[in-house]
DNA sequence: GAGTGGTCTAGACCACTGT
DNA sequence: CAGTGGTCTAGACCACTCC
């Protein structure tokens, strides 16, 4: 019983989404296997597979070998968001980007940073603090630690001119990373640097990156008031 | 010149990542086309395609027909984050989940909500305010508008018992959605409801969903202090 | 126009896992 | 053990877009 002869995986994906949404396929229910669906739509199994994988990637289907494919009971929607370089982000808003180094030292990091970066107690790291500006106004305050053992050449870079952010993106590719989003009140230091009120609510991104297990950098980015990250689901 | 006879797309992906990371393929550079790579690794072009697509999905490669595949100059890393139901999120932390309805009215929403939901000036919507608790402590304050034209059956649901969040996830699947993350200061109302200090920095998620262009709901979730979203890159 | 990625096919074998 | 999804292949045609 070919219903419509869909031979294109994106149309198939839409059809599957419709069936889930219209409850023709109900939460928790087993849906037909790939071979049957391929038969129904008059296309190859690989095409059905591609479409089903795409839907499963959004969290609406759960697939297991032998057990088959089921409609997720508690759909966990997944959102993909892009994390651009700060300069790109500012320029994408048609604002002029500028950058100012605040401080630069080589010293032993505090215990929490040391732990995140997997440094031993005596190890020193490069501490960089900088301000990124959009149209001359504070946009992001960057507080960063860089592992000199992993990225020794950073020592030769003039961080007054080029931000560590940019240099690292271009010169220290990473294999693993984690990222966290949170909210924090401006403390006295941040309030002064960013020219905001004390205790103002600011958006914070913390990121750690590794290259094959070796820590590269740990950074905390504090954004100006009003900042938001937006994406579609 | 077969280098190693890799016939599995995930190994191929690793190999490509290595080449990018080791700068054997430099930023901005054109890499060999799919046919040549298939030849080099002794596999089918479809396999190379799958691996290259996977890398391109992470933002490290940029692919264009006829123009070929290039290593991204300014890699825009993409992070995927899961957005579970609040109950699942609390239970995943091994905390007990509970829920309390704060208010429930049918009325005309403010202009900003009306615009987001595409309602006309006279339309009323269901306004639900509720508190989600983890181990009895405020976890999320939910301020939600629901489009009665799209989801009329919500009227028959007892929202004292079941949260709108859960009911909608189970009964009003959506086809499009957007989501935004930001930071906000607790105002007097939120401070009292969540038992936090006035102006405390809180993490906020705003989400709007549509079903085939018809707005379903618009919600603002304000999280307890310390909340963070975490993911790997 | 021609080169590249995007996709589809038909068939095959494999890997996992429920029974 | 057997059923299901996961993947690979070889070949084909198409869609896009740079030149």
């Amino acid at each position: 019983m070919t219903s419509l002869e869909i031979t294109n995986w994106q149309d198939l994906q839409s059809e599957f989404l419709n069936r889930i949404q219209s409850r023709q396929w109900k939460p928790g229910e087993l849906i037909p296997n790939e071979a049957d669906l391929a038969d129904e739509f008059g296309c190859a199994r690989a095409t059905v597979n591609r479409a089903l994988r795409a839907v499963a990637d959004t969290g609406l289907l759960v697939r297991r070998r032998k057990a088959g494919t089921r409609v997720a009971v508690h759909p966990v929607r997944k959102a993909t968001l892009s994390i651009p370089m700060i300069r790109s982000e500012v320029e994408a808003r048609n604002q002029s980007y500028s950058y100012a180094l605040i401080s630069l030292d080589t010293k032993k990091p505090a215990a929490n940073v040391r732990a995140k970066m997997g440094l031993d107690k005596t190890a020193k790291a490069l501490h960089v603090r900088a301000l990124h500006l959009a149209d001359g106004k504070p946009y992001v305050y960057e507080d960063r630690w860089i592992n000199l053992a992993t990225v020794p050449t950073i020592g030769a870079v003039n961080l007054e001119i080029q931000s560590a952010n940019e240099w690292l993106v271009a010169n220290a590719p990473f294999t693993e990373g984690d990222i966290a989003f949170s909210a924090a009140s401006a403390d006295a230091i941040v309030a002064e640097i960013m020219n905001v009120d004390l205790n103002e609510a600011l958006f914070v991104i913390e990121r750690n990156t590794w290259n094959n297990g070796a820590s590269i950098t740990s950074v905390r980015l504090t954004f100006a008031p009003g900042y938001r990250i937006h994406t579609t689901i």
Side-chain angles (χ1 to χ4, degrees), chain A residues 168-230:
Chain A
L168 288 167
V169 165
N171 297 281
F174 57 90
T175 56
E176 307 100 47
D178 66 30
I179 189 163
F181 307 96
S182 56
S185 294
D187 61 23
I189 296 171
V190 169
E192 193 198 333
I193 291 173
M194 301 204 63
N195 192 31
V196 299
D197 292 340
L198 193 63
N199 293 328
E200 182 143 9
L202 302 175
F203 192 80
V204 172
I205 296 181
E206 288 164 297
R207 186 166 28 175
N208 298 288
T209 56
W210 292 267
N211 188 0
N212 294 318
S215 169
I216 297 172
T217 187
S218 174
V219 64
R220 177 185 171 95
L221 302 172
T222 305
F223 290 79
Y227 184 81
R228 48 174 34 215
I229 283 189
H230 183 272

Side-chain angles (χ1 to χ4, degrees), chain A residues 44-104:
Chain A
R45 183 165 78 94
T47 309
V48 172
N49 179 277
R50 178 91 190 255
L52 287 177
R53 260 194 298 117
V55 179
D57 282 347
T58 71
L60 286 174
L61 288 176
V62 180
R63 319 197 71 198
R64 281 202 343 261
R65 283 167 163 151
K66 164 74 180 175
T69 301
R70 287 176 186 280
V71 179
V73 182
H74 297 304
V76 175
R77 298 301 281 240
K78 290 176 182 164
T80 300
L81 37 93
S82 302
I83 301 148
M85 278 197 314
I86 297 168
R87 175 195 289 277
S88 314
E89 191 168 289
V90 170
E91 290 175 346
R93 302 159 148 232
N94 277 322
Q95 296 185 299
S96 74
Y97 171 82
S98 55
Y99 161 84
L101 183 64
I102 297 170
S103 75
L104 184 63

